Structures are given as structure tokens and as C-alpha cells.
Amino acid sequence: MPVTMDRDDVVELLEPFRRELTAYCYRMLGSAFEAEDAVQETLVRAWSKFDGFEGRAALRTWLYRIATNVCLDMAPAAQRRARPMDLSAPCPATAPDLAQLEERIWIGPIPDERVLCGDPAEVAVGRETIRLAFVSALQKLPARQRAVLILREVLAWSAAETAELLETSAASVNSALQRARATLADGGGVPDSDTFKPLDETQRALLARYVSAFEAFDIEALKSLLHEDAVLNMPPYQMWVRGVVELGEWWLGAGCGCRGSRMVPVEANGTPAFAQYRPAEDGNGWTPWGITLLEITDGRISTMTNHMDTERLFPLWGLPMRLTADTAGS
């Protein structure tokens, strides 16, 4: 590879790596916005240092080394992101703790189109490894162990390739991987869920029933779609609710403001997802309330996560900040 190139040619050479680097940085950092910042910094560093890149390593390895260093700088141990279920016990639906924590505390969602690429088999694997539960489990690891586990078990890099990237030995990589696996196992591992198959008729029928029941605010119909121990959580609120009975009480109580909502399908974290709009306070259509991600287990909905940072999340998906009767399809 030549050591000098036209700057525009360098940009063209680096840009195809953006999506896979975003997926890597998202798994490392747990935030779509931090991941995009990390990738931008990675590409800027690569662009500025490209004249010194002499092809001693593969370009992809070089970029991942830069991205890893950026993420390690951005991911101090005191700032690991989590889900409400990682931080506290469930609360009673009739007495919810509505305290809010800062955005930096929470695992955030990310659009599939920002992180999934490749052939159908690669996309299927990618879906499993950007699930909120998986990304949350990764955050329990020290940052270097997190990088090792992602590189070895998600991206299928060899111990030698990973050691080269991290500038360490293969033995150190294998030791870090063993410690990472043990930490995840001690924490209960990653909760299982059904693989999301967008073209699967059974899953599509379940999601259609969910949307119909939610928009009609038919609580009994909603409850019939849920696991007995289904979970609802709503970052930035630290509260979460578990169990069909509790969820029914939640929707009839503190959650009754969702009556009259409209649900717009989106693609997020490799799972079924919807943008929820609630009736506008001024009576003119519907305004954003949250991005809701669903996990399905054994054919029923097991987790509902509603991310409520609407001012940043809805533009990330290119969603309108108001629905009217025409745009909602009513």
C-alpha cells in the first residue's frame, strides 16, 4: 500500500469500515451517540496518520486498534452503562419510584442500519450481539476484557490477531477471555430470547397483536401476549415492573397516559421495536414518547424497554416529531 495518498482517496478508503466500527464501538460503550463519536474520532485519527501507515498490519486491524484505544479512553470503570434491572429490585406498580438518573447511566438503543451489515448469516449473528441484554452484560466487564470477548467471540478474531491488535501476547488474550467468560457466568450470563426473524409469520402475528392491543389500550389483550414474569423498564426512570399482574396494574394506573398511543415500527438492536407517540397535549395529533424495544421468549413478549430520550432518539431514526391523522394512517 502506498504511504502517501490523496486525502479524498483516504476518506473513500476508510468510509466502508464505518458501520462495522460503529457496531464494535457500540458494544464497547453501550451508547449510539458515544459509538458514533468514537468512530468519528477513529476515522479522523486514521486520516491524519495515514501517511505513517506502512501496511505492516492489515488496514482493518489498524482501524480496530485505533477504535479500541478510543473506546478504552472513553470507558472508565466508574461509568459503565446498565439497564434498570441491573441496578435495583422491581417496584410495585401501584407505588413506582419515578426518580430519574442521568443519561450516561443507561444502555441506549441503536438503529439496526447503523450497525448491521453483510450477508444474511452475518446479520443474524449481528442481531444477537447488539441485543440490549447482551450489550448490558458486556458492560459488566473491565474494558480490555470487553474488547477481548468482542473480538474473539463476536468478531471471531484469532488469539494471535487479537493479541496483535491489543499489543499483548496470545496467552494474555486467552487469560482475559477466560476471566471475561467467568464474570459473565457469575452474573447469570445473558438472558435467552427468541432470535428475531422479521419474515417469520408467527412473530409478525404476535407483533401485530401487540400493536393492535396497545393502540386500543386493551389491557387484557396485552396481558395475554406476555410471559408471566414479563418486564417493563423505562430509562431514564430507575424503576422497573415485573409480572403480568403488576403490568396490568401499571397500565391501568401510572401508565394510563399511554391510552390513545400510536406505534410506528422501527428497527433497533436486532429486536422488534416501535416508536411510541402519545396524544399531543394541544390535541393536534401525537408527539414522541419513546422508542420501545421488545424481547420475545418462547413465543411471548418477555421484556419491554421504553427509551424516553425523545429529543435525541427520534432524529436518530429519522422520525417526525409529530404525527397527524394522515401520517399515523388513521
Side-chain angles (χ1 to χ4, degrees), residues 302-318:
S302 53
T303 305
M304 297 163 284
T305 301
N306 194 23
H307 297 273
M308 302 176 69
D309 184 6
T310 57
E311 291 187 2
R312 295 202 302 166
L313 291 177
F314 275 58
L316 187 64
W317 268 267

Side-chain angles (χ1 to χ4, degrees), residues 12-63:
E12 186 175 346
L13 185 66
L14 299 178
E15 191 61 30
F17 292 93
R18 181 181 294 273
R19 188 176 297 183
E20 65 175 283
L21 288 171
T22 301
Y24 176 64
C25 293
Y26 174 70
R27 295 180 184 108
M28 284 289 294
L29 299 169
S31 162
F33 304 105
E34 287 189 0
E36 293 200 346
D37 289 345
V39 171
Q40 191 60 32
E41 176 64 18
T42 296
L43 296 180
V44 168
R45 290 188 191 183
W47 180 85
S48 66
K49 298 177 180 179
F50 196 81
D51 285 349
F53 173 63
E54 299 177 354
R56 288 189 294 268
L59 176 59
R60 184 168 181 252
T61 302
W62 185 61
L63 289 173

